[in-house]
Structures are given as structure tokens and as C-alpha cells.
Amino acid sequence: MAAQAKPIFDPSSSFFDDPYPVYRELRQRAPAYRDEATGHWLITRYADVERATTDFETFSSCKGNAVVDSPMRVGKTLGSLDPPRHDELRRIIQRTLAPARVTSMVPALQSSTVQRLEALRGRASADFIADFSRPLMFEAIGRLLGLDEEAAARSATLMSGLFRGGDGPMGGVLPQERFIEIGAFLREQLAGREASPADDLFSVLLEARDSGAPLGDDEIVANLSTVLLAGNASIGHFFPNIMHALWKFPDERRLLLADLGKINATIDEAARWDTSTQSFARQVMRPTEIAGVTIPADSRAVVFYASANRDETVIDDPDRFSIDRRRVRHFGFGMGPHVCAGAFVARTMLKTIMEAALPFFGEFDLDLTEAPRLRHIMVRGFVNLPISWKG
């Protein structure tokens, strides 16, 4: 009896250490690949990912953009709606993330960054995530939401366990009971702003609602939960990924240290080379064909942005990290109607922190033997990241 062929995609293997060789094999051998374990279809080529992000009538977000999404979010968030309702809600949400509002946070973020670096002065090693990047990110997200110190700490606790793979690498991003707790927490905050408005995202959305914008409390809560999720899963894991890229390519790190004016280009190239947001899900609304394979209606498609970002038929030498790379269209911050609404927030926060952190850490070293990876197909990041430098 012939041995059963080994599947191309096996998330129980070493996939999470380096998924990019698997993505390459999928693009070349099975660009529309059905995962037998889940029945999901994996979409990996640049052209097909681009189509899935723009053809919402075929690849719909109506059942959420997480592989397994929460009922709290589905049909209420930007990521779980299609146009025209998506566009209507996006115009409202975008008001809360206006450049002037975001840039007004920069001085406080600069001060917090300096304080956290000063706390590391005299040391020669730390956990980059636990001791530096995670608390900074949660503080910044809390400031954007207008959370006081106690509420910010509570939100950090609620986000613990996010994408830790408790339900498996294609399971839910958090237990459903945790989503219920997050919803209750955000409703408490919302009630507080109704009684006492402030200059934060809750208050701006309430003002829009009270001015007649088509926006319900459930949508406000669901979209603010997305801010918490994105702050942890997207920006929170992306920053350590940037540090990993600069460590893996020391010539690029030296180039950047010699000219910090290249930080924006570094952020953009890192988003292409190793985005923290590896994939999103779509619901296939009608039979469609990819590479000669028909994907049936009512299928669940997992659209791999990270694979498209390394597609060698579109991007030259895609496995090389180069901060002087000629600008290319990639999916590091999404594409199409669902392009990341918080991209400016992410870039601004990262640039502000990196301007101070990069000279401090200098020619740093990472210990990947003590840096376990998250094991969920939607996000790529480290659980811990030991870093050492010349203190």
C-alpha cells in the first residue's frame, strides 16, 4: 500500500518558526489549497490575494475576518462588514484616528519611551517584549482610548492569551468568555464617557452617534475592541518582528543607525518582509476558480498576506530585507476596502519609539533559543524576545 503523501501545509510542524518556505511551495504547487483538517482554502499568490481583498462580492467579510470570529464582532466591525456599510462606518471610525489626534500623542509617547529606556540603563539584557515594547504599546493604546492607569492595566489583562493557540492554530483568537469580558469592560468605559465626555475615541464616537451618525453602541464597543486587539496583535508583535529583521540583517541595521531618517522606509519594508498580520479570512459567496481549482460557495478562505508579500513573480528577491528597496505595493497594511484604518497610528507610534530605542540598543543581539513563537496562522510574533546590548 502506497504511503500517504505528506501535506504541504502542516501547522503542527516547524511551520511557525519559518512559514515562508511553506508559502513558497503553496504558491508554486497549490495556490488554492484545501486544508483537509479544517476544510478551509488557503490562498497564497499575490494576484489571488489582491483579488480576494478587492472582490468583496465573491470574498466577503460578512462572517468576520478572523478564521473563527466572535459573535460580538461579526457584522459590527470594519473587518466584518462589506461595502457599502463598511465604507459608511469607516468614515465615522476614521474621524477618531485623524492625523492631528494621533500626532498630539507623540510628546507623551516620546516621554514614556525615554523613561522605559532609562529604566534599562545600566543593564545589558532584557526581555524586549515584557520589559519594553509591550508596556509601551499598551500605554499608548490606553492613551488613545482615554483609559486611566487602572483601566489600561485591566485591558492588558483582558488581552493576555490573545492568539496563544488555545483552540489550535486555526481556532479562535480568544475564548468567547474573554470576548464577553472585554465587551463588558468597554461598555463600562462607554457609560463613563456618556456621563463625562473627554478627548478620546469613546467620546468622539459618542459625539458622532449623538450628531446623527448611523452608529449603535454595539458597533462602538465592537470597534473599540478591535483597537485593543490590533494594538496587541498587530503593532505589539510587529515591533519585535522589526527588531528581528534588523538583527538578522546587520548591514541593514548599521545603515539605519547611520541614518535614522530611514525609519519610515524600514517600517514599510518590515511590514512587507515579516508582517505580524499573516492572514485574514473571507467567506466565499459563490463558486470561484483559482489556478484551475474551483472553490465552492460557502467555503472559508484564509488569505495569506504574508505569502503574497514574498511572491517572487511580483517582488524581486523577496526574501531579502532591504530598507532601501524600491517601493512596492504589498499587503503589510492590507489592501482594498479593508486597508488598515490604523496604519498611520502604527507608523507614528513605531517611528516615535524607534527614534529613541535604536540608538540605545545599538548593535544588539537576540537569543532565539529562548524566544518561542506564537502558534496561530493569523499572526506572527514572539512570546518573549531576549535582547542583549552593550550597557
Side-chain angles (χ1 to χ4, degrees):
M1 183 176 180
Q4 187 173 3
K6 180 182 178 181
I8 302 174
F9 174 75
D10 180 8
S12 65
S13 68
S14 59
F15 174 78
F16 294 103
D17 292 331
D18 184 5
Y20 294 100
V22 177
Y23 294 154
R24 184 188 309 115
E25 190 172 3
L26 286 167
R27 290 193 303 270
Q28 294 172 354
R29 290 179 51 196
Y33 178 88
R34 187 177 186 274
D35 175 51
E36 294 298 328
T38 61
H40 299 335
W41 291 83
L42 313 186
I43 311 301
T44 49
R45 292 190 307 194
Y46 186 105
D48 302 322
V49 170
E50 182 175 29
R51 179 188 164 206
T53 61
T54 54
D55 179 8
F56 59 86
E57 292 181 341
T58 303
F59 295 93
S60 172
S61 298
C62 65
K63 292 194 176 181
N65 60 357
V67 177
V68 178
D69 219 323
S70 165
M72 173 185 151
R73 290 167 29 85
V74 173
K76 305 178 186 73
T77 66
L78 291 179
S80 63
L81 289 166
D82 296 316
R85 177 54 182 158
H86 166 274
D87 299 345
E88 186 178 43
L89 183 60
R90 186 183 180 95
R91 284 191 290 270
I92 300 169
I93 300 296
Q94 207 71 63
R95 297 179 201 169
T96 68
L97 303 174
R101 178 177 298 278
V102 175
T103 54
S104 70
M105 297 170 50
V106 166
L109 183 54
Q110 288 172 327
S111 177
S112 296
T113 301
V114 170
Q115 288 176 16
R116 295 206 173 269
L117 290 173
E118 284 299 316
L120 296 176
R121 195 170 297 283
R123 296 174 56 177
S125 65
D127 181 339
F128 182 79
I129 294 173
D131 296 330
F132 183 66
S133 66
R134 183 187 293 140
L136 259 182
M137 291 299 175
F138 268 115
E139 184 179 334
I141 294 298
R143 190 176 293 114
L144 188 66
L145 288 169
L147 303 179
D148 61 26
E149 187 174 345
E150 181 181 350
R154 173 66 175 149
S155 74
T157 300
L158 289 170
M159 288 295 114
S160 64
L162 181 64
F163 286 108
R164 295 302 174 93
D167 293 332
M170 285 195 178
V173 303
L174 274 174
Q176 184 55 33
E177 57 268 21
R178 182 55 59 88
F179 273 111
I180 293 172
E181 291 181 69
I182 292 168
F185 165 76
L186 291 172
R187 286 183 184 281
E188 290 174 7
Q189 294 294 316
L190 193 64
R193 299 313 187 286
E194 288 190 293
S196 181
D199 183 23
D200 56 35
L201 267 62
F202 289 96
S203 301
V204 173
L205 291 174
L206 282 170
E207 182 182 355
R209 183 202 66 183
D210 294 342
S211 298
L215 182 69
D217 286 0
D218 286 349
E219 289 175 314
I220 293 176
V221 168
N223 282 283
L224 291 176
S225 77
T226 299
V227 174
L228 287 177
L229 292 169
N232 182 287
S234 297
I235 308 175
H237 291 304
F238 181 40
F239 189 13
N241 286 1
I242 297 175
M243 297 297 283
H244 173 245
L246 292 170
W247 171 78
K248 191 175 180 67
F249 294 85
D251 288 345
E252 299 301 304
R253 175 176 58 190
R254 293 178 191 117
L255 187 63
L256 178 58
L257 285 170
D259 182 2
L260 293 181
K262 295 180 182 288
I263 287 179
N264 284 334
T266 301
I267 293 169
D268 190 70
E269 172 66 349
R272 181 203 66 82
W273 189 76
D274 198 20
T275 176
S276 54
T277 306
Q278 294 274 293
S279 65
F280 277 123
R282 295 289 189 272
Q283 194 72 10
V284 180
M285 305 303 289
R286 55 194 179 193
T288 191
E289 185 176 300
I290 290 179
V293 176
T294 298
I295 302 178
D298 205 31
S299 296
R300 197 73 172 148
V302 184
V303 183
F304 281 91
Y305 291 13
S307 175
N309 287 344
R310 298 274 193 108
D311 191 330
E312 59 282 343
T313 68
V314 178
I315 298 171
D316 293 335
D317 198 6
D319 292 332
R320 181 172 60 90
F321 175 77
S322 173
I323 65 177
D324 282 337
R325 180 184 295 276
R326 180 179 58 83
R327 291 290 297 273
V328 295
R329 292 181 74 230
H330 61 74
F331 300 86
F333 291 103
M335 192 179 289
H338 291 285
V339 66
C340 178
F344 181 78
V345 179
R347 289 189 175 102
T348 301
M349 288 172 57
L350 289 167
K351 181 176 184 292
T352 300
I353 297 170
M354 289 170 67
E355 284 174 336
L358 290 174
F360 179 91
F361 291 112
E363 292 288 336
F364 63 87
D365 194 21
L366 301 179
D367 181 5
L368 296 194
T369 65
E370 298 295 330
R373 288 279 188 178
L374 295 170
R375 300 182 63 82
H376 197 286
I377 64 165
M378 287 189 64
V379 71
R380 179 161 165 80
F382 296 96
V383 178
N384 306 104
L385 188 60
I387 185 171
S388 58
W389 66 96
K390 294 180 180 179

